[in-house]
Amino acid sequence: MNFSVKNSLIVFTTAVAVFLLFSCESNFKEVQKSSFSEFMPSGEADSINIKYTDSGRIKSILISPKMLDYATVEFPFTEFPKGIHVTLYDESGKKTFVNSKYAVSFKNTDLIDLRGEVKITNETGQVFETEQLYFDQKNEWFYTEKSYKFSDPKGVSYGEGVDFSKDFKIINSQGVSGEVEKQ
């Protein structure tokens, strides 16, 4: 009799363990589904061309082949997985052009993270190139800790770490090398 009670206890314990194992797997799959759906875009657009204006003046034009909007997540952002082409206008109408292969705009911080062959050019022939660059929209300021190349009609310089205004009038370099023509 002792033997059958012991066998019954083993069978019962095994059945409970199997039941718990399958119920945990089911719950885990539900958690995975809810996490996955949380990062589904709430909006999606192809071939966008957006003009930002202020007081009747165009401030910038954003062109991108693909935009994904994640407005419903805890920290909302907009992703441009196929890159962006942006034209920025200053007060006198001079243009600065920004291109990258990928970009993310964080809505609560007004920061844009540009990645992959980031290139900024302007009408005076200045060119800035790097692999990652941040743009502070509120202060109209660019910065990076990555290696970069800056070219203008006076020469070419290389460095690592820099911040600058959108019109290149103010440039703060951390480490720079290269040749620049004296005026």
Side-chain angles (χ1 to χ4, degrees), residues 104-150:
V104 176
S105 176
F106 300 98
K107 294 184 182 190
N108 293 338
T109 62
D110 288 331
L111 286 178
I112 299 175
D113 181 2
L114 305 162
R115 296 183 196 174
E117 297 179 20
V118 180
K119 187 174 185 178
I120 301 174
T121 58
N122 64 18
E123 295 175 329
T124 63
Q126 295 173 312
V127 180
F128 180 87
E129 299 170 274
T130 188
E131 280 303 308
Q132 183 175 24
L133 186 67
Y134 295 97
F135 180 59
D136 178 346
Q137 295 178 82
K138 184 177 179 182
N139 297 309
E140 297 184 331
W141 202 259
F142 290 97
Y143 59 94
T144 186
E145 294 296 320
K146 302 285 185 184
S147 298
Y148 68 89
K149 176 183 174 184
F150 179 72

Side-chain angles (χ1 to χ4, degrees), residues 33-96:
K33 285 180 187 175
S34 68
S35 295
F36 181 72
S37 64
E38 181 179 349
F39 280 95
M40 295 297 294
S42 56
E44 186 173 334
D46 292 324
S47 301
I48 65 165
N49 185 335
I50 301 172
K51 293 176 177 68
Y52 295 98
T53 60
D54 184 13
S55 303
R57 294 179 126 181
I58 294 179
K59 300 290 275 178
S60 62
I61 299 173
L62 169 71
I63 299 171
S64 179
K66 183 83 163 173
M67 181 184 84
L68 303 172
D69 188 26
Y70 294 87
T72 59
V73 298
E74 185 176 355
F75 301 104
F77 63 97
T78 302
E79 181 180 32
F80 302 91
K82 295 184 178 181
I84 61 169
H85 304 284
V86 179
T87 304
L88 303 169
Y89 296 86
D90 70 6
E91 297 300 320
S92 61
K94 291 184 181 173
K95 300 174 190 173
T96 301

